[in-house]
């Protein structure tokens, strides 16, 4: 192995190269926020954190500035509770309205490389093999395809959980599991679910094969983790349960997902079938040409027994440990495929489910994501099998070159999404500076109709201006709407249609929305956007720091 400094530089090269090919570095300027208000998931993520830093109930994770008056928690805005809790004590020293998405993506990539290295370094025959394997384990396209949903780029949590799981001694330590489960639970609910699935496999293994003390230790940890997850649910505001969307099955993983890029132009070598039912995003599981080559060659070589340069025992495959993941992985795979089975862009099987079950499965409505741990484990095993081959360096290097070439069109397209970070200006739809005065004069802002998909970019810009003015938004795009908030939003809509409005509120009308006849004379226009200004100025804001 090379000296620590050279090893650090070699691993840092993977991080830097991948990040610069994927994300515009101008995103690292925390005061640069125009690019996040793009109508993508970046907007709610950044707005949720900024609103929390302006007015948050630390050490809780709620803010009264979004979905007022009930408020919303960071997790429900697809924002980052972990960052919020870490940054809130320093909020008085930060400028109002900052974003940390670029930094989170960079840190996530660095941690991903770190845990990939930890998984491989002790099993690799030499440094070059370990480095090539680390690079390949970092180049799964699903990681990069999640860029607009930055919290879900935390695939390093999956690798961290696998690193704990594969070492029996490490897996028996409470602190190891509590750390990864706690962090995952503060990043995103899906990451908690995926890490929890690996942890559950570890507990099953201990109960089935361990001694009496091992079983008691596992039972104790199960109790502690269950209590901890319940505490996280309260922290994230889940005491007020969210509304079911009834959309389980809408974002499945297709049977051919591993070899189908699903997005035209995302692969240099493989064709894509039509992008439908979320297959190009939530159901995206394409491995990439290099990893497909690696998996096929490694598996075929293992089957026919070609281990010419190294005896099998010198590169240990943790087969016994990995078998305990199979039951969990089978469940995750079936949930990812869903009841509407897709192949080559066509539905080949549909199994109707009762509404009660669909509502229960709403917690994993973006079900295609659930295959991520399976994909990483498949690649990991393929790399270990490649380590046994006589020409392992050639195979790994060829796979890496092929993977980079195949991913280049995708990375160019994804980097283009952050191109606006290099351009000046924050607002594109609400350019007129008079918006600040209009918003500051209101007690709250209400969007009509309460449908963010009418113009997600508009609601993000209005929401950002409202956050800076410390004025609450009564409606906003969030990933999960609490039931109490939905009932209030419905009541707001009925009141508006009946011509009953609060004289201190600002009402923004989406294009195509017509105000009731009694309110029509009060409608004004600014930047081509219709709104009803407050008839009575509101009191100065009191919610913010």
């Amino acid at each position: 192995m090379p000296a620590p400094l050279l090893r650090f530089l070699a691993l840092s090269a993977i991080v830097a190269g991948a990040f610069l090919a994927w994300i515009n570095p101008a995103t690292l300027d925390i005061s640069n926020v125009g690019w996040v208000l793009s109508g993508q998931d970046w907007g709610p993520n950044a707005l949720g954190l900024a609103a929390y830093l302006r007015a948050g109930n630390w050490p809780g994770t709620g803010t009264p500035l979004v979905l007022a008056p009930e408020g919303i928690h960071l997790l429900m805005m697809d924002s980052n509770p972990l960052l919020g809790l870490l940054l809130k004590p320093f909020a008085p020293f930060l400028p109002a309205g900052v974003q940390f998405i670029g930094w989170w993506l960079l840190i996530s990539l660095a941690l991903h490389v770190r845990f990939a290295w930890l998984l491989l370094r002790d099993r690799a025959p030499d440094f070059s093999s370990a480095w090539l394997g680390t690079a390949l384990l970092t180049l799964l396209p699903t990681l990069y395809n999640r860029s607009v949903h930055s919290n879900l780029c935390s695939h390093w949590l999956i690798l961290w959980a696998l690193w704990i799981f594969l070492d029996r001694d490490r897996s028996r330590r409470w602190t190891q599991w509590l750390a990864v489960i706690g962090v995952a639970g503060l990043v995103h609910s899906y990451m908690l679910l995926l890490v929890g699935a690996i942890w559950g496999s570890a507990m099953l293994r201990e109960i089935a094969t361990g001694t009496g003390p091992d079983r008691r230790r596992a039972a104790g940890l199960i109790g502690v983790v269950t209590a901890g997850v319940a505490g996280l649910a309260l922290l994230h505001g889940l005491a007020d349960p969210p509304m079911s969307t009834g959309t389980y099955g809408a974002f499945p993983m297709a049977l051919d997902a591993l070899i189908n890029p699903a997005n035209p132009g995302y692969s240099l070598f493989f064709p894509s079938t039509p992008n439908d039912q979320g297959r190009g995003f939530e159901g995206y599981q394409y491995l990439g040409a290099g990893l497909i080559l690696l998996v096929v060659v490694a598996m075929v070589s293992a089957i026919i027994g070609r281990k010419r340069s190294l005896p099998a025992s010198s590169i240990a495959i943790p087969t016994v440990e990995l078998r305990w993941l199979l039951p969990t992985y089978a469940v995750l795979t079936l949930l990812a495929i869903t009841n509407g089975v897709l192949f080559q862009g066509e539905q080949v099987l549909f199994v109707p489910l009762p509404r009660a079950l669909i509502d229960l499965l709403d917690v994993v409505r973006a079900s295609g994501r659930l295959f991520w741990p399976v994909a990483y484990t498949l690649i990991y095993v393929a790399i270990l099998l490649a380590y046994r081959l006589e020409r392992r360096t050639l195979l790994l290097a060829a796979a890496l070159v092929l993977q980079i070439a195949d991913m280049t069109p995708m990375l160019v397209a994804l980097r283009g999404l952050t191109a606006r970070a290099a351009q000046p200006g924050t607002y594109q739809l609400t350019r007129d500076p008079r918006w600040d005065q209009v918003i500051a004069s209101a007690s709250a802002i209400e969007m009509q109709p309460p449908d963010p998909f009418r113009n997600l970019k508009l609601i993000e810009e209005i929401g950002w201006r409202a956050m800076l003015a410390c004025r609450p938004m009564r409606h906003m795009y969030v990933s999960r709407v609490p039931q109490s908030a939905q009932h209030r939003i419905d009541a707001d809509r009925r009141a508006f249609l009946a011509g009953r409005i609060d004289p201190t509120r600002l009402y923004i009308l989406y294009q195509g929305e017509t105000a009731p006849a009694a309110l029509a004379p009060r409608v004004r226009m600014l930047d081509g956007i219709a709104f009803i200004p407050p008839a009575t100025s509101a009191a100065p804001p009191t919610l913010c720091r």
Side-chain angles (χ1 to χ4, degrees):
M1 290 288 180
L5 177 59
L6 292 178
R7 185 167 61 246
F8 172 78
L9 293 175
L11 294 175
S12 296
I14 299 175
V15 177
F19 182 77
L20 293 175
W22 177 37
I23 303 293
N24 191 307
T27 59
L28 298 177
D29 178 359
I30 64 173
S31 64
N32 183 356
V33 299
W35 68 277
V36 304
L37 306 179
S38 59
Q40 305 278 1
D41 285 332
W42 287 317
N45 182 303
L47 178 58
L49 181 59
Y52 176 76
L53 295 178
R54 290 280 277 152
N57 64 343
W58 191 89
T61 62
T63 175
L65 290 180
V66 179
L67 287 195
E70 298 83 9
I72 195 69
H73 291 257
L74 289 171
L75 186 76
M76 301 284 195
M77 281 202 72
D78 276 339
S79 195
N80 196 314
L82 178 62
L83 271 183
L85 291 171
L86 293 175
L87 292 172
K88 181 61 175 176
F90 304 98
F93 309 103
L94 294 171
V98 291
Q99 60 80 25
F100 292 87
I101 291 176
W103 279 104
W104 182 259
L105 293 173
L106 177 58
I107 291 169
S108 291
L109 201 53
L111 288 170
H112 192 106
V113 168
R114 174 61 178 168
F115 283 108
W117 171 258
L118 290 177
L119 278 167
L120 293 169
R121 66 175 180 182
D122 294 332
R123 299 181 186 273
D126 50 53
F127 174 76
S128 62
S129 297
W131 187 90
L132 289 167
T134 298
L136 286 166
L137 201 54
T138 305
L139 287 178
L140 184 63
T142 51
L143 166 63
Y144 302 87
N145 195 43
R146 301 305 314 187
S147 61
V148 298
H149 201 321
S150 55
N151 289 8
L152 287 174
C153 289
S154 306
H155 290 198
W156 53 274
L157 289 163
I158 298 171
L159 300 188
W160 185 3
L162 285 173
W163 177 70
I164 297 170
F165 176 87
L166 291 173
D167 186 288
R168 195 68 179 265
D169 291 335
R170 193 159 45 235
S171 182
R172 287 171 173 157
R173 299 174 193 166
W174 282 32
T175 53
Q176 296 281 347
W177 285 117
L178 291 177
V180 67
I181 290 171
V183 173
L186 290 173
V187 171
H188 199 280
S189 56
Y190 277 84
M191 301 313 300
L192 174 61
L193 174 64
L194 298 179
V195 165
I198 297 172
W199 166 75
S201 298
M203 296 302 98
L204 176 64
R205 179 181 61 191
E206 289 302 306
I207 292 172
T209 66
T211 62
D214 294 331
R215 294 190 182 98
R216 288 191 292 272
R217 186 186 303 112
L221 182 55
I222 289 172
V224 171
V225 169
T226 300
V229 171
L232 285 171
L234 293 176
L235 178 70
H236 294 319
L238 294 174
D240 183 1
M243 300 290 295
S244 170
T245 63
T247 55
Y248 174 75
F251 308 104
M253 165 189 162
L255 295 180
D256 61 332
L258 298 183
I259 59 172
N260 190 338
N263 297 278
Y266 262 33
S267 169
L268 190 64
F269 303 109
F270 279 70
S272 169
T273 56
N275 174 15
D276 59 357
Q277 299 193 53
R279 294 177 59 247
F281 191 50
E282 300 295 5
Y284 182 82
Q285 293 290 347
Y286 177 58
L287 292 181
L291 290 177
I292 291 172
L293 170 69
L294 178 68
V295 169
V296 171
V297 172
M299 297 302 181
V300 169
S301 298
I303 292 172
I304 64 178
R306 291 182 179 173
K307 310 178 185 69
R308 296 177 180 173
S309 64
L310 297 171
S313 58
S314 63
I315 303 295
I317 310 294
T319 307
V320 174
E321 309 303 333
L322 289 169
R323 285 174 182 169
W324 287 101
L325 289 170
L326 293 178
T328 300
Y329 280 8
V331 172
L332 291 178
T333 301
L334 288 174
L335 288 173
I337 293 171
T338 77
N339 59 314
V341 183
L342 295 178
F343 181 74
Q344 288 289 300
E346 301 291 337
Q347 189 172 87
V348 296
L349 176 66
F350 179 76
V351 179
L353 299 176
R355 177 65 194 214
L357 183 56
I358 290 176
D359 288 343
L360 181 65
L361 291 172
D362 196 65
V363 296
V364 291
R365 66 186 183 189
S367 56
R369 305 169 182 173
L370 301 183
F371 192 76
W372 293 344
V374 187
Y376 278 111
T377 305
L378 175 65
I379 297 165
Y380 176 67
V381 172
I383 292 170
L384 295 186
L385 290 172
Y387 285 168
R388 292 182 168 189
L389 301 179
E390 181 180 3
R391 297 182 178 179
R392 59 183 175 274
T393 304
L394 178 61
L395 171 61
L396 293 168
L400 180 59
V401 171
L402 193 61
Q403 188 74 0
I404 293 172
D406 192 35
M407 288 180 63
T408 295
M410 171 189 178
L411 291 173
V412 169
L414 293 176
R415 197 177 193 277
L417 297 178
T418 58
R420 188 167 177 257
Q423 302 170 6
T426 300
Y427 308 106
Q428 292 183 316
L429 300 182
T430 59
R431 294 175 179 270
D432 197 304
R434 287 175 290 177
W435 279 112
D436 291 334
Q437 180 181 356
V438 171
I439 289 172
S441 66
S443 63
I445 293 86
E446 193 169 310
M447 308 294 294
Q448 289 294 340
D451 177 10
F453 297 106
R454 287 284 191 99
N455 193 332
L456 189 53
K457 183 174 174 56
L458 174 61
I459 196 174
E460 289 175 0
E461 290 195 12
I462 294 293
W464 196 266
R465 286 185 177 275
M467 176 274 301
L468 292 176
C470 199
R471 297 304 190 183
M473 295 285 293
R474 292 179 64 84
H475 181 251
M476 173 56 66
Y477 170 70
V478 298
S479 63
R480 305 281 179 171
V481 181
Q483 292 182 9
S484 61
Q486 187 61 59
H487 296 326
R488 191 264 307 156
I489 290 169
D490 293 341
D492 284 348
R493 179 61 175 166
R494 290 192 296 271
F496 177 79
L497 292 176
R500 301 190 307 270
I501 63 174
D502 186 317
T504 67
R505 291 180 200 160
L506 167 65
Y507 292 80
I508 306 290
L509 310 184
Y510 286 112
Q511 185 175 9
E513 176 72 0
T514 302
L519 301 176
R522 294 180 54 187
V523 174
R524 302 290 183 268
M525 299 292 293
L526 196 59
D527 286 326
I529 300 165
F531 67 97
I532 301 175
T536 304
S537 294
T542 59
L543 295 174
C544 297
R545 57 177 172 86

